[in-house]
Amino acid sequence: MDFVPVEISTPINLEIAQITTPQVIISPTPRIPKDAIRRSLKASTVDSVLAAVYSIGTSGILLANLLVELDASPVIFGMLSSIPMLVNLIQPLGAYLSERSTSRFQYALRTHGIARVLWVILVIAIAATSWGVLNHNYLVILTLLILLLSNLLAGLGTPSWLSWMATIVPRRLRGRYFGIRNSAASLTNLICVPIAGLAVSHWYGGVVQGYGVILFLSMIFGIVGLGCQYFQADMNPLLQNTHVGKFPQTSEIQSDTTKKEELQPQAELGMGYGEHNTASMPNQKGMEFSDTLNKSSQVTQLIYTTIEPVNFSICKNSNFLKFLLYFGLWTLAFNLSAPFFNLYMLDTLDLNVGYVTIYTSLQAGANLLMLIVWGKLADKIGNRPILLFGGILLATIPLLWLGIGINQLDIWLWLPLLHILAGGTGAAMDLCNNNIQLGIAPIKNQSIYFAIAAAVAGASGALGTTIGSFILQFTQSGGLLALFTLSTVFRLTALIPLIFTQEPGK
């Protein structure tokens, strides 16, 4: 485990009377060396590949096909999609706990590590079902329970991981790096999803037993991927979440458009970016304190004071609130229909899971090819224009499903084209939503901002999926087609708040 090297300059012993500011502590200045950044980015990329293999067995089409094989109802199918989003409500608690830990990596082991090991219980349950010990109804309930617990633990760890990556990845490289990272994960899905689908559909012991084997292998890959985070530069959140201000004569706080940051894009703990670095500027009394030291040259210490209430700063951040409104409406509109495309193919069209995994591979391939393109374009023109363009394209996709039927032309032409379009535009939305969120959230208590955004998106996404599942459950005929039309209207409406959201630095 590599920790960030620390430099401590010679302390200055001064006696200053009648200082009423909060307790001041001279603290070290942590910096990430360039070699540590390179090693961390490589380790994170390998982690994304192994995590993609883990997600093949624990989410997506294979897990959905398991419930279809177990004759689950549309409401259960909707719960399968809503649980991973609904548990995002716990992310603010995860952010609170992570900011009081002393190691991002150790915190990840306690959250994501346990979340991935839990799936071994479902593997054992599938084996028990194959031996006749457990019936299908109990297996459905246990599947949802394991999914809930695993995602709860992952929700506790996600804000910490996102804040960790925001600190490691230089701002000017985020578009390109996350484009490459997500492309590696998409390539893994492109290769592994069809192989897993064929293995499950042709397993000699049946589809359910075949899924159990794939789930066990996915869990092993997930645990190994988590070990890759050991090679990332570890962070101490207690140092990152401080009220930082440098003495005037040695201040190096700059906006992210300065030449120095362009030449030396090293991440610094406790330092903000550009106009969002309001938390890093000293208050008035802190300035009075620093003024008494003007005659002392070559002072390089940082002043750390107590943290202001973060909820108050969030309420004052109107730009972040606009983003929250857009993000919440978009996830509701998107998940109103997105989880039920697979149900439509597996149940209504009665397609073999092997065909569906091939479509999923095509979607991952389009995602792979376009991620790097979108990443480079986002670095040039910004993320908001791409989100508006991609959002309009994604809004039309549910309407295109209205004409899909059971014939060779639709199966071999239109369905592949629909998945390719969804993969290419979905890459833009995923990448740019992540990037614009990293830019809008200030560095101070950053993981709490991420957690709040995830909680809002999770609640609205789960609400959308729940509404969609009840529409299907209680509609006699044509429920899916009506749901797809309604989703298109909601998706276009959700883009309106994004028009008024300002992207920092653009």
Side-chain angles (χ1 to χ4, degrees):
M1 173 59 59
D2 294 332
F3 283 84
V4 177
V6 173
E7 299 176 359
I8 306 178
S9 57
T10 305
I12 297 177
N13 296 324
L14 294 174
E15 295 183 2
I16 302 174
Q18 297 179 351
I19 297 297
T20 59
T21 56
Q23 183 180 2
V24 177
I25 302 173
I26 302 299
S27 181
T29 307
R31 293 177 181 270
I32 308 177
K34 290 183 179 180
D35 290 341
I37 292 178
R38 294 190 187 99
R39 185 178 68 252
S40 300
L41 298 186
K42 291 178 181 178
S44 181
T45 303
V46 176
D47 176 33
S48 71
V49 172
L50 298 177
V53 179
Y54 164 76
S55 66
I56 290 174
T58 58
S59 62
I61 184 61
L62 294 184
L63 186 58
N65 184 67
L66 173 68
L67 293 185
V68 172
E69 290 292 328
L70 298 177
D71 297 323
S73 66
V75 172
I76 296 295
F77 199 88
M79 292 177 63
L80 175 68
S81 301
S82 63
I83 285 176
M85 294 178 287
L86 187 61
V87 297
N88 285 330
L89 290 171
I90 205 174
Q91 287 202 22
L93 175 61
Y96 176 86
L97 296 176
S98 69
E99 299 312 309
R100 280 147 184 79
S101 66
T102 57
S103 170
R104 295 288 188 194
F105 175 69
Q106 294 295 331
Y107 186 79
L109 290 181
R110 294 193 296 267
T111 53
H112 290 288
I114 300 176
R116 297 183 181 186
V117 173
L118 278 177
W119 288 95
V120 73
I121 300 176
L122 185 58
V123 173
I124 296 174
I126 291 175
T129 302
S130 301
W131 297 331
V133 178
L134 200 66
N135 63 39
H136 287 184
N137 291 331
Y138 286 116
L139 185 58
V140 170
I141 296 174
L142 186 59
T143 301
L144 293 179
L145 182 61
I146 296 299
L147 181 69
L148 175 63
L149 294 176
S150 178
N151 280 275
L152 277 174
L153 288 168
L156 290 174
T158 298
S160 177
W161 177 87
L162 193 55
S163 181
W164 192 5
M165 294 303 299
T167 306
I168 291 176
V169 183
R171 174 181 286 265
R172 68 185 183 90
L173 299 178
R174 284 176 184 169
R176 277 171 286 179
Y177 171 71
F178 284 112
I180 294 173
R181 186 182 189 277
N182 294 348
S183 294
S186 296
L187 178 61
T188 304
N189 283 322
L190 177 65
I191 297 173
C192 295
V193 168
I195 296 176
L198 291 174
V200 168
S201 60
H202 293 86
W203 189 259
Y204 67 92
V207 172
V208 175
Q209 190 180 106
Y211 170 76
V213 175
I214 296 299
L215 176 61
F216 179 74
L217 295 176
S218 299
M219 184 191 67
I220 297 299
F221 276 94
I223 295 173
V224 175
L226 191 63
C228 293
Q229 296 183 13
Y230 174 84
F231 300 98
Q232 296 178 196
D234 202 1
M235 301 293 165
N236 187 339
L238 293 179
L239 292 180
Q240 185 176 3
N241 291 321
T242 50
H243 193 177
V244 185
K246 283 196 174 183
F247 296 159
Q249 65 270 29
T250 57
S251 177
E252 296 176 7
I253 299 176
Q254 303 179 22
S255 67
D256 50 1
T257 58
T258 59
K259 182 177 180 181
K260 180 177 179 179
E261 182 172 349
E262 291 295 324
L263 295 177
Q264 299 178 349
Q266 293 188 356
E268 291 190 18
L269 294 176
M271 295 187 65
Y273 293 98
E275 63 196 48
H276 299 286
N277 194 21
T278 56
S280 68
M281 299 303 294
N283 55 29
Q284 183 176 358
K285 294 182 179 179
M287 291 296 292
E288 293 173 1
F289 172 76
S290 62
D291 287 339
T292 63
L293 301 178
N294 280 338
K295 294 182 181 180
S296 303
S297 60
Q298 306 300 325
V299 179
T300 58
Q301 289 92 339
L302 290 178
I303 301 177
Y304 289 77
T305 65
T306 56
I307 303 175
E308 298 175 358
V310 68
N311 56 347
F312 181 70
S313 61
I314 290 177
C315 293
K316 292 176 63 177
N317 193 335
S318 61
N319 198 41
F320 182 74
L321 295 178
K322 293 175 186 176
F323 172 78
L324 279 185
L325 179 61
Y326 148 72
F327 204 35
L329 291 176
W330 175 259
T331 51
L332 186 149
F334 182 81
N335 289 285
L336 194 63
S337 62
F340 304 104
F341 294 144
N342 288 335
L343 178 64
Y344 184 68
M345 291 185 290
L346 292 171
D347 189 26
T348 304
L349 300 182
D350 197 23
L351 295 178
N352 184 277
V353 67
Y355 287 105
V356 180
T357 53
I358 292 176
Y359 299 149
T360 306
S361 304
L362 292 175
Q363 185 170 339
N367 192 286
L368 166 67
L369 293 176
M370 294 303 298
L371 267 174
I372 298 179
V373 176
W374 293 125
K376 292 181 178 179
L377 188 61
D379 288 337
K380 292 181 179 179
I381 68 173
N383 297 282
R384 192 167 66 106
I386 298 177
L387 286 174
L388 291 171
F389 175 73
I392 294 174
L393 288 180
L394 272 182
T396 63
I397 288 180
L399 289 179
L400 299 178
W401 278 84
L402 299 179
I404 299 297
I406 308 176
N407 57 72
Q408 295 298 316
L409 181 63
D410 290 342
I411 292 175
W412 293 107
L413 179 62
W414 294 120
L415 280 175
L417 289 179
L418 275 178
H419 282 81
I420 290 173
L421 177 61
T425 53
M429 300 300 291
D430 293 340
L431 178 67
C432 294
N433 275 327
N434 180 68
N435 286 345
I436 197 172
Q437 184 180 166
L438 291 176
I440 290 177
I443 192 68
K444 180 184 176 183
N445 294 308
Q446 195 174 51
S447 62
I448 298 180
Y449 281 80
F450 296 152
I452 292 175
V456 170
S460 57
L463 179 62
T465 302
T466 304
I467 293 173
S469 64
F470 277 102
I471 290 176
L472 295 181
Q473 182 74 19
F474 300 106
T475 303
Q476 296 297 327
S477 61
L480 274 171
L481 301 182
L483 186 64
F484 293 165
T485 304
L486 184 65
S487 178
T488 294
V489 176
F490 272 67
R491 291 185 185 191
L492 291 174
T493 305
L495 295 174
I496 296 177
L498 182 62
I499 299 176
F500 302 98
T501 303
Q502 297 299 318
E503 182 177 359
K506 299 296 180 182

